[in-house]
Amino acid sequence: MTGFVGVKNMIRWLTTQGIAPTLTGMAEAIEEDFRRWPVFNKTERVASHTPFGVMELMPIADPDLYSFKYVNGHPLNPARGYQTVTAFGVLANVHNGYPVFVAEMTILTALRTAATSAMAARALARKDSTVMAMVGAGSQSEFQAIAFRELLGIRRLRIYDTDDRATEKFVRNLTPLGFDIQVCPSGKEAVRGAEIITTCTADKTHATLLYSADVSPGVHVNAIGGDCPGKTELDPEILRRSTVFVEFEPQTRIEGEIQALPETFPVTPLWKVLAGEAAGRTTGNDITVFDSVGFAIEDYSALRYLYESVSGSPLCEEIDLVADPDDPKDLFGFALAPSPVF
Amino acid sequence: MTGFVGVKNMIRWLTTQGIAPTLTGMAEAIEEDFRRWPVFNKTERVASHTPFGVMELMPIADPDLYSFKYVNGHPLNPARGYQTVTAFGVLANVHNGYPVFVAEMTILTALRTAATSAMAARALARKDSTVMAMVGAGSQSEFQAIAFRELLGIRRLRIYDTDDRATEKFVRNLTPLGFDIQVCPSGKEAVRGAEIITTCTADKTHATLLYSADVSPGVHVNAIGGDCPGKTELDPEILRRSTVFVEFEPQTRIEGEIQALPETFPVTPLWKVLAGEAAGRTTGNDITVFDSVGFAIEDYSALRYLYESVSGSPLCEEIDLVADPDDPKDLFGFALAPSPVF
């Protein structure tokens, strides 16, 4: 039998162990896997582009465990009552190829993205950071806020979104959790005085949410939303003034903020900073940018963290995904026995 | 909710509607989709090769429906009590990207492979064929035999396998179904007098199951087992004497029997024969070879055929794979509501 965590049990898991410890634990798992980056067999993601959106498969493997995520991105979905992004993921045993675990990843992806952002910021932002500006109050925003509070102690947020309803939802969800939230009339206003800036919108265009003139020395920019060819959020001038950190460079060159810059623009792999093989921030005046697009290792880490947490518990259901006859060559007899197996 | 057919319900479906009508219906679905071949967005399959075996993702889409299959190939598995190949598949709605159906595909792949072979042979073999030789009595063999009986009326089989237990299993499974089976002491002996030859073994080497001298004019060769770089079954001289038909040429050049031949060796896409755009067999003395490696369209067809058949019936369970909040931007409120949704 194959383990299964659907939406219902994902929510039970999250509410039982609490979102704060979940994000902290997941960030540890992701950091652990980033530190052993060279061990992973990294494959390109496979995208099917359509007029409505994109459907992607993101596989990766270490010597023992293989994972992949199915994820779609349909920017017009919210207007029709659907989510922009849904996802699910699978773990398989490399030694015999059998799938061992299937999980919903719409919620899990929101968690892993926030955990990855905060993990990167913990390594790159100034230690004395106290205020985070957020441009974009969509699905991902609350998860980001909580991850930054848990990993960096940030409690003061300055938020801007073009959609007032999204901003209201953000305030409604986070105020009871003890955040100090300032709603701002523009992105320019939001970033004023913030040591950390998170950009996270879903527009599938080259939008400029953040102008270089508004970004002060010393700031850390957590650039989440530029994650697709033709989809960026930053004034490229910001990148030129910054040290830019990336997940998997070949993918980020195509999908990240740096798609706007020449191939020769220097970037630093985040994993090298975490593994002590490259410098992160070198002075209090550096601008650091985490040009995040989302990479398969983060999904691998999130899935294995979830699997280790729920395995053997009532939160992990079982589904009969793998036909496994006693005689491996007698699939026919197994499927069509005169006395059916079931 | 997402529809789900696991192993138990796959077997119920198969035994309820019967394997013969299932193979016939599936062959019709595959042929229908092959005829509209240019409509599909065909992506390369993505393989993770490991010392133990390979794990692959095979995506494909038409303008409305996207599908992918996860499949492994671990040749050492049977010696350890596991199956060489296991698989499962997914259908997603191209318009919003939501996964709509998940199904076991270990059994379904056996069905679709047999249906594809028989569909190709119906188009390519001599109409007066009455005897099929089979080299290989593994998991796939009984499915092949039944598909050829249903689509071509073949009832006489000549079988050879190096593994006597596999041959015994083949005879035990098929004799009650009314086949006339001749067990042969060698591949050379098996193919004598047969108008159709099916080669289907799992050895991951350049094996020669069939020598050119043993292949008479007029024969159709259904070459199933050569489906991986470094894995072939035919004496290349047979191919040089034959008209060779393929699924997706770029993939077959790498994985099929023709990997042993120059890139310029001429092949005919099977879909063009089915669509009336290319000739199949032109004389009774042609040797035709279907150099089959398995292509994603066949999985797409098998999944949609199954989905159409079970949708709304008790054979289709539901799993909560997709988080779908009322407010598409309020994933956080959905996952962490003060009064949990579940």
Side-chain angles (χ1 to χ4, degrees):
Chain A
M1 297 295 272
T2 304
F4 174 63
V5 171
V7 176
K8 183 184 65 190
N9 282 329
M10 178 64 69
I11 292 176
R12 282 189 182 139
W13 176 66
L14 199 50
T15 47
T16 304
Q17 80 173 24
I19 184 170
T22 301
L23 285 165
T24 308
M26 200 173 289
E28 297 310 321
I30 297 169
E31 188 160 331
E32 209 173 89
D33 290 331
F34 264 61
R35 285 190 176 136
R36 59 193 189 96
W37 186 274
V39 158
F40 285 90
N41 179 356
K42 291 170 280 291
T43 320
E44 70 281 23
R45 70 169 103 185
V46 194
S48 288
H49 293 277
T50 78
F52 314 103
V54 65
M55 283 150 298
E56 296 179 336
L57 294 168
M58 300 169 68
I60 195 148
D62 73 12
D64 297 310
L65 206 53
Y66 167 95
S67 83
F68 77 85
K69 177 165 84 170
Y70 167 87
V71 58
N72 76 294
H74 283 62
L76 303 178
N77 265 2
R80 303 181 297 162
Y82 301 113
Q83 289 195 97
T84 305
V85 172
T86 70
F88 69 92
V90 174
L91 291 175
N93 179 338
V94 167
H95 299 265
N96 65 5
Y98 279 30
V100 293
F101 187 58
V102 177
E104 89 80 38
M105 286 191 78
T106 306
I107 297 168
L108 197 64
T109 297
L111 293 165
R112 74 83 157 131
T113 302
T116 304
S117 289
M119 173 196 78
R122 184 167 59 182
L124 300 173
R126 285 168 52 156
K127 301 296 171 222
D128 58 357
S129 301
T130 58
V131 178
M132 176 158 75
M134 301 185 68
V135 182
S139 288
Q140 175 58 207
S141 57
E142 297 95 338
F143 297 94
Q144 288 281 334
I146 297 175
F148 275 77
R149 183 176 71 179
E150 292 310 310
L151 274 74
L152 289 93
I154 306 285
R155 289 175 178 277
R156 294 174 56 201
L157 305 174
R158 299 175 65 80
I159 180 84
Y160 170 68
D161 197 296
T162 52
D163 176 356
D164 288 342
R165 283 191 57 237
T167 306
E168 282 160 26
K169 172 218 65 165
F170 179 88
V171 172
R172 184 176 70 238
N173 282 333
L174 291 185
T175 302
L177 302 181
F179 285 92
D180 169 1
I181 304 171
Q182 182 75 45
V183 175
C184 302
S186 67
K188 183 186 179 69
E189 186 61 32
V191 304
R192 185 174 308 198
E195 294 94 359
I196 296 174
I197 301 171
T198 289
T199 57
C200 188
T201 64
D203 272 341
K204 219 177 172 180
T205 56
H206 289 296
T208 303
L209 305 183
L210 200 55
Y211 289 92
S212 186
D214 301 322
V215 175
S216 312
V219 156
H220 173 69
V221 181
N222 173 37
I224 303 299
D227 63 353
C228 205
K231 182 168 183 291
T232 58
E233 295 180 335
L234 303 186
D235 175 355
E237 184 54 30
I238 299 170
L239 301 171
R240 290 191 203 100
R241 291 168 56 205
S242 307
T243 314
V244 175
F245 300 85
V246 299
E247 291 144 315
F248 185 49
E249 183 179 337
Q251 184 177 314
T252 311
R253 292 274 176 204
I254 297 166
E255 301 174 359
E257 296 294 336
I258 55 169
Q259 66 185 271
L261 298 177
E263 282 289 319
T264 52
F265 183 83
V267 298
T268 304
L270 177 62
W271 77 264
K272 289 196 174 180
V273 178
L274 299 170
E277 295 184 20
R281 166 179 296 276
T282 52
T283 78
N285 283 330
D286 289 0
I287 301 173
T288 50
V289 173
F290 178 39
D291 186 2
S292 178
V293 298
F295 185 57
I297 286 182
E298 296 148 27
D299 301 312
Y300 168 100
S301 307
L303 280 168
R304 78 155 173 91
Y305 173 71
L306 171 66
Y307 183 50
E308 286 163 11
S309 173
V310 301
S311 189
S313 89
L315 294 175
C316 191
E317 295 179 70
E318 292 195 322
I319 55 175
D320 58 338
L321 199 56
V322 179
D324 198 19
D326 289 337
D327 174 356
K329 289 190 183 180
D330 195 8
L331 183 64
F332 182 86
F334 173 77
L336 288 141
S339 318
V341 190
F342 300 102
Chain B
M1 296 295 272
T2 304
F4 174 64
V5 171
V7 176
K8 181 185 65 191
N9 283 329
M10 178 64 69
I11 292 176
R12 282 189 184 139
W13 176 67
L14 199 50
T15 47
T16 304
Q17 81 172 24
I19 186 169
T22 301
L23 285 166
T24 308
M26 199 173 291
E28 296 311 320
I30 297 169
E31 188 160 331
E32 211 173 86
D33 291 330
F34 264 61
R35 284 189 176 136
R36 57 192 190 97
W37 186 274
V39 158
F40 286 90
N41 179 356
K42 291 170 280 292
T43 320
E44 70 281 22
R45 71 169 103 185
V46 194
S48 288
H49 293 278
T50 77
F52 313 103
V54 66
M55 282 150 299
E56 295 180 336
L57 295 168
M58 300 169 68
I60 195 148
D62 73 12
D64 297 311
L65 206 54
Y66 166 95
S67 82
F68 77 84
K69 177 165 85 170
Y70 166 89
V71 58
N72 75 295
H74 284 62
L76 303 177
N77 266 1
R80 303 180 298 163
Y82 301 113
Q83 287 196 100
T84 305
V85 172
T86 70
F88 69 92
V90 174
L91 291 175
N93 180 338
V94 167
H95 299 265
N96 65 5
Y98 279 29
V100 293
F101 187 57
V102 177
E104 89 80 40
M105 287 191 77
T106 306
I107 297 167
L108 198 64
T109 297
L111 293 164
R112 74 83 158 131
T113 301
T116 303
S117 288
M119 172 197 78
R122 184 167 60 183
L124 300 173
R126 286 168 52 157
K127 301 297 170 221
D128 58 357
S129 302
T130 58
V131 179
M132 176 159 75
M134 301 185 68
V135 182
S139 288
Q140 175 59 207
S141 58
E142 296 96 340
F143 297 93
Q144 288 281 334
I146 297 175
F148 276 76
R149 184 176 71 180
E150 292 311 308
L151 274 74
L152 290 92
I154 305 287
R155 289 174 179 278
R156 293 174 57 202
L157 305 174
R158 298 175 64 81
I159 181 83
Y160 169 69
D161 197 297
T162 52
D163 176 356
D164 287 343
R165 282 191 58 236
T167 307
E168 283 161 27
K169 171 219 65 164
F170 179 88
V171 172
R172 183 177 70 237
N173 283 332
L174 291 185
T175 302
L177 302 182
F179 284 93
D180 169 1
I181 302 170
Q182 182 75 43
V183 175
C184 301
S186 67
K188 184 186 179 68
E189 187 61 32
V191 303
R192 184 174 306 196
E195 294 94 359
I196 296 175
I197 301 171
T198 289
T199 57
C200 188
T201 64
D203 273 341
K204 220 178 172 180
T205 55
H206 289 296
T208 303
L209 305 183
L210 199 56
Y211 289 92
S212 187
D214 301 321
V215 175
S216 312
V219 156
H220 173 69
V221 181
N222 173 38
I224 302 299
D227 62 355
C228 204
K231 180 168 184 289
T232 59
E233 296 181 332
L234 303 186
D235 175 354
E237 184 55 29
I238 299 170
L239 301 170
R240 289 191 203 99
R241 292 168 58 205
S242 307
T243 313
V244 175
F245 300 85
V246 298
E247 291 143 317
F248 185 49
E249 184 178 336
Q251 184 178 314
T252 311
R253 292 274 176 203
I254 297 167
E255 301 173 358
E257 296 293 338
I258 55 169
Q259 67 184 268
L261 299 177
E263 282 290 318
T264 51
F265 183 82
V267 298
T268 305
L270 177 62
W271 76 264
K272 290 196 174 182
V273 178
L274 299 170
E277 295 183 22
R281 166 180 297 277
T282 52
T283 77
N285 283 329
D286 289 0
I287 301 173
T288 50
V289 172
F290 177 38
D291 186 1
S292 177
V293 297
F295 185 55
I297 286 183
E298 296 149 26
D299 300 312
Y300 167 100
S301 308
L303 279 169
R304 77 155 174 91
Y305 174 71
L306 171 65
Y307 183 50
E308 286 162 11
S309 173
V310 301
S311 188
S313 90
L315 294 175
C316 191
E317 296 179 70
E318 293 194 322
I319 55 174
D320 57 338
L321 199 57
V322 179
D324 199 17
D326 289 338
D327 174 356
K329 289 190 182 179
D330 195 8
L331 184 64
F332 182 85
F334 173 77
L336 288 142
S339 319
V341 189
F342 298 103

mmCIF file of all heavy atoms in Angstrom, chain B residues 65-87:
data_model
loop_
_atom_site.group_PDB
_atom_site.id
_atom_site.type_symbol
_atom_site.label_atom_id
_atom_site.label_comp_id
_atom_site.label_asym_id
_atom_site.label_seq_id
_atom_site.Cartn_x
_atom_site.Cartn_y
_atom_site.Cartn_z
ATOM 1 N N LEU B 65 -7.218 17.887 -22.409
ATOM 2 C CA LEU B 65 -6.860 16.926 -21.377
ATOM 3 C C LEU B 65 -5.344 16.705 -21.379
ATOM 4 O O LEU B 65 -4.731 16.518 -22.427
ATOM 5 C CB LEU B 65 -7.585 15.610 -21.665
ATOM 6 C CG LEU B 65 -7.900 14.652 -20.527
ATOM 7 C CD1 LEU B 65 -8.660 15.342 -19.404
ATOM 8 C CD2 LEU B 65 -8.717 13.480 -21.074
ATOM 9 N N TYR B 66 -4.789 16.737 -20.167
ATOM 10 C CA TYR B 66 -3.356 16.482 -19.977
ATOM 11 C C TYR B 66 -3.230 15.157 -19.245
ATOM 12 O O TYR B 66 -4.055 14.851 -18.373
ATOM 13 C CB TYR B 66 -2.795 17.621 -19.140
ATOM 14 C CG TYR B 66 -1.415 17.422 -18.548
ATOM 15 C CD1 TYR B 66 -0.282 17.908 -19.195
ATOM 16 C CD2 TYR B 66 -1.234 16.783 -17.322
ATOM 17 C CE1 TYR B 66 0.983 17.762 -18.646
ATOM 18 C CE2 TYR B 66 0.028 16.628 -16.764
ATOM 19 C CZ TYR B 66 1.133 17.122 -17.432
ATOM 20 O OH TYR B 66 2.373 16.978 -16.880
ATOM 21 N N SER B 67 -2.243 14.357 -19.594
ATOM 22 C CA SER B 67 -2.017 13.146 -18.810
ATOM 23 C C SER B 67 -0.538 12.939 -18.593
ATOM 24 O O SER B 67 0.295 13.440 -19.361
ATOM 25 C CB SER B 67 -2.619 11.907 -19.491
ATOM 26 O OG SER B 67 -1.748 11.406 -20.478
ATOM 27 N N PHE B 68 -0.214 12.261 -17.506
ATOM 28 C CA PHE B 68 1.151 11.763 -17.385
ATOM 29 C C PHE B 68 1.118 10.416 -16.683
ATOM 30 O O PHE B 68 0.176 10.098 -15.961
ATOM 31 C CB PHE B 68 2.070 12.756 -16.646
ATOM 32 C CG PHE B 68 1.914 12.782 -15.157
ATOM 33 C CD1 PHE B 68 2.582 11.872 -14.345
ATOM 34 C CD2 PHE B 68 1.093 13.713 -14.554
ATOM 35 C CE1 PHE B 68 2.435 11.894 -12.961
ATOM 36 C CE2 PHE B 68 0.944 13.747 -13.170
ATOM 37 C CZ PHE B 68 1.615 12.826 -12.375
ATOM 38 N N LYS B 69 2.171 9.638 -16.936
ATOM 39 C CA LYS B 69 2.347 8.360 -16.251
ATOM 40 C C LYS B 69 3.669 8.381 -15.520
ATOM 41 O O LYS B 69 4.669 8.851 -16.049
ATOM 42 C CB LYS B 69 2.317 7.217 -17.263
ATOM 43 C CG LYS B 69 2.558 5.842 -16.635
ATOM 44 C CD LYS B 69 2.180 4.694 -17.565
ATOM 45 C CE LYS B 69 3.279 4.324 -18.520
ATOM 46 N NZ LYS B 69 2.994 3.061 -19.244
ATOM 47 N N TYR B 70 3.667 7.885 -14.289
ATOM 48 C CA TYR B 70 4.904 7.556 -13.600
ATOM 49 C C TYR B 70 5.136 6.074 -13.817
ATOM 50 O O TYR B 70 4.207 5.274 -13.607
ATOM 51 C CB TYR B 70 4.792 7.831 -12.094
ATOM 52 C CG TYR B 70 5.930 7.195 -11.297
ATOM 53 C CD1 TYR B 70 7.115 7.892 -11.093
ATOM 54 C CD2 TYR B 70 5.836 5.895 -10.811
ATOM 55 C CE1 TYR B 70 8.171 7.303 -10.407
ATOM 56 C CE2 TYR B 70 6.890 5.305 -10.129
ATOM 57 C CZ TYR B 70 8.053 6.018 -9.925
ATOM 58 O OH TYR B 70 9.096 5.431 -9.256
ATOM 59 N N VAL B 71 6.331 5.714 -14.238
ATOM 60 C CA VAL B 71 6.623 4.288 -14.433
ATOM 61 C C VAL B 71 8.085 4.018 -14.101
ATOM 62 O O VAL B 71 8.958 4.839 -14.397
ATOM 63 C CB VAL B 71 6.287 3.857 -15.890
ATOM 64 C CG1 VAL B 71 7.057 4.669 -16.910
ATOM 65 C CG2 VAL B 71 6.509 2.366 -16.109
ATOM 66 N N ASN B 72 8.329 2.899 -13.418
ATOM 67 C CA ASN B 72 9.716 2.524 -13.147
ATOM 68 C C ASN B 72 10.071 1.291 -13.960
ATOM 69 O O ASN B 72 9.187 0.571 -14.452
ATOM 70 C CB ASN B 72 9.912 2.239 -11.647
ATOM 71 C CG ASN B 72 9.325 0.891 -11.253
ATOM 72 O OD1 ASN B 72 8.124 0.724 -11.336
ATOM 73 N ND2 ASN B 72 10.164 -0.059 -10.846
ATOM 74 N N GLY B 73 11.350 1.038 -14.105
ATOM 75 C CA GLY B 73 11.838 -0.179 -14.743
ATOM 76 C C GLY B 73 13.066 -0.647 -13.990
ATOM 77 O O GLY B 73 14.123 -0.029 -14.070
ATOM 78 N N HIS B 74 12.881 -1.712 -13.201
ATOM 79 C CA HIS B 74 13.966 -2.230 -12.355
ATOM 80 C C HIS B 74 14.173 -3.706 -12.667
ATOM 81 O O HIS B 74 13.510 -4.572 -12.086
ATOM 82 C CB HIS B 74 13.629 -2.027 -10.870
ATOM 83 C CG HIS B 74 13.805 -0.618 -10.391
ATOM 84 N ND1 HIS B 74 13.082 0.436 -10.897
ATOM 85 C CD2 HIS B 74 14.648 -0.095 -9.448
ATOM 86 C CE1 HIS B 74 13.464 1.558 -10.282
ATOM 87 N NE2 HIS B 74 14.409 1.268 -9.405
ATOM 88 N N PRO B 75 15.106 -4.036 -13.585
ATOM 89 C CA PRO B 75 15.257 -5.415 -14.078
ATOM 90 C C PRO B 75 15.592 -6.432 -12.980
ATOM 91 O O PRO B 75 15.285 -7.607 -13.131
ATOM 92 C CB PRO B 75 16.434 -5.321 -15.064
ATOM 93 C CG PRO B 75 16.640 -3.887 -15.333
ATOM 94 C CD PRO B 75 16.052 -3.097 -14.218
ATOM 95 N N LEU B 76 16.206 -5.983 -11.887
ATOM 96 C CA LEU B 76 16.567 -6.945 -10.842
ATOM 97 C C LEU B 76 15.425 -7.192 -9.859
ATOM 98 O O LEU B 76 15.557 -8.005 -8.943
ATOM 99 C CB LEU B 76 17.807 -6.457 -10.082
ATOM 100 C CG LEU B 76 19.046 -6.197 -10.950
ATOM 101 C CD1 LEU B 76 20.198 -5.658 -10.118
ATOM 102 C CD2 LEU B 76 19.460 -7.488 -11.667
ATOM 103 N N ASN B 77 14.310 -6.491 -10.037
ATOM 104 C CA ASN B 77 13.207 -6.610 -9.078
ATOM 105 C C ASN B 77 12.634 -8.021 -8.911
ATOM 106 O O ASN B 77 12.433 -8.457 -7.774
ATOM 107 C CB ASN B 77 12.072 -5.639 -9.442
ATOM 108 C CG ASN B 77 12.183 -4.306 -8.695
ATOM 109 O OD1 ASN B 77 13.121 -4.101 -7.922
ATOM 110 N ND2 ASN B 77 11.240 -3.415 -8.928
ATOM 111 N N PRO B 78 12.344 -8.758 -10.002
ATOM 112 C CA PRO B 78 11.699 -10.073 -9.827
ATOM 113 C C PRO B 78 12.512 -11.002 -8.915
ATOM 114 O O PRO B 78 11.940 -11.732 -8.104
ATOM 115 C CB PRO B 78 11.604 -10.624 -11.250
ATOM 116 C CG PRO B 78 11.556 -9.411 -12.108
ATOM 117 C CD PRO B 78 12.453 -8.404 -11.431
ATOM 118 N N ALA B 79 13.831 -10.934 -9.007
ATOM 119 C CA ALA B 79 14.667 -11.796 -8.160
ATOM 120 C C ALA B 79 14.488 -11.461 -6.679
ATOM 121 O O ALA B 79 14.812 -12.268 -5.805
ATOM 122 C CB ALA B 79 16.137 -11.646 -8.562
ATOM 123 N N ARG B 80 13.956 -10.267 -6.396
ATOM 124 C CA ARG B 80 13.751 -9.863 -5.004
ATOM 125 C C ARG B 80 12.266 -9.842 -4.638
ATOM 126 O O ARG B 80 11.876 -9.294 -3.609
ATOM 127 C CB ARG B 80 14.357 -8.466 -4.792
ATOM 128 C CG ARG B 80 15.850 -8.406 -5.150
ATOM 129 C CD ARG B 80 16.419 -7.019 -4.933
ATOM 130 N NE ARG B 80 15.770 -6.014 -5.776
ATOM 131 C CZ ARG B 80 15.835 -4.701 -5.562
ATOM 132 N NH1 ARG B 80 16.478 -4.227 -4.520
ATOM 133 N NH2 ARG B 80 15.239 -3.863 -6.395
ATOM 134 N N GLY B 81 11.432 -10.408 -5.530
ATOM 135 C CA GLY B 81 10.006 -10.514 -5.224
ATOM 136 C C GLY B 81 9.189 -9.291 -5.607
ATOM 137 O O GLY B 81 8.001 -9.197 -5.289
ATOM 138 N N TYR B 82 9.805 -8.331 -6.298
ATOM 139 C CA TYR B 82 9.068 -7.152 -6.758
ATOM 140 C C TYR B 82 8.861 -7.249 -8.262
ATOM 141 O O TYR B 82 9.566 -7.986 -8.959
ATOM 142 C CB TYR B 82 9.848 -5.864 -6.463
ATOM 143 C CG TYR B 82 10.136 -5.654 -5.012
ATOM 144 C CD1 TYR B 82 11.448 -5.697 -4.526
ATOM 145 C CD2 TYR B 82 9.105 -5.389 -4.114
ATOM 146 C CE1 TYR B 82 11.722 -5.492 -3.177
ATOM 147 C CE2 TYR B 82 9.372 -5.183 -2.767
ATOM 148 C CZ TYR B 82 10.679 -5.235 -2.301
ATOM 149 O OH TYR B 82 10.946 -5.036 -0.983
ATOM 150 N N GLN B 83 7.914 -6.450 -8.760
ATOM 151 C CA GLN B 83 7.729 -6.422 -10.198
ATOM 152 C C GLN B 83 8.728 -5.514 -10.889
ATOM 153 O O GLN B 83 9.105 -4.476 -10.338
ATOM 154 C CB GLN B 83 6.347 -5.891 -10.504
ATOM 155 C CG GLN B 83 5.296 -6.895 -10.175
ATOM 156 C CD GLN B 83 4.049 -6.454 -10.844
ATOM 157 O OE1 GLN B 83 3.692 -6.954 -11.900
ATOM 158 N NE2 GLN B 83 3.428 -5.490 -10.242
ATOM 159 N N THR B 84 9.105 -5.880 -12.117
ATOM 160 C CA THR B 84 10.035 -5.056 -12.895
ATOM 161 C C THR B 84 9.457 -3.657 -13.104
ATOM 162 O O THR B 84 10.132 -2.651 -12.922
ATOM 163 C CB THR B 84 10.294 -5.699 -14.285
ATOM 164 O OG1 THR B 84 10.742 -7.036 -14.071
ATOM 165 C CG2 THR B 84 11.354 -4.931 -15.058
ATOM 166 N N VAL B 85 8.191 -3.627 -13.494
ATOM 167 C CA VAL B 85 7.544 -2.372 -13.864
ATOM 168 C C VAL B 85 6.310 -2.157 -12.998
ATOM 169 O O VAL B 85 5.469 -3.039 -12.866
ATOM 170 C CB VAL B 85 7.115 -2.411 -15.352
ATOM 171 C CG1 VAL B 85 6.269 -1.205 -15.710
ATOM 172 C CG2 VAL B 85 8.331 -2.494 -16.264
ATOM 173 N N THR B 86 6.203 -0.980 -12.380
ATOM 174 C CA THR B 86 4.934 -0.566 -11.793
ATOM 175 C C THR B 86 4.642 0.834 -12.343
ATOM 176 O O THR B 86 5.548 1.519 -12.824
ATOM 177 C CB THR B 86 4.961 -0.488 -10.250
ATOM 178 O OG1 THR B 86 5.785 0.613 -9.866
ATOM 179 C CG2 THR B 86 5.493 -1.764 -9.632
ATOM 180 N N ALA B 87 3.396 1.224 -12.278
ATOM 181 C CA ALA B 87 3.055 2.516 -12.874
ATOM 182 C C ALA B 87 1.754 3.042 -12.298
ATOM 183 O O ALA B 87 0.930 2.279 -11.799
ATOM 184 C CB ALA B 87 2.918 2.375 -14.392
#
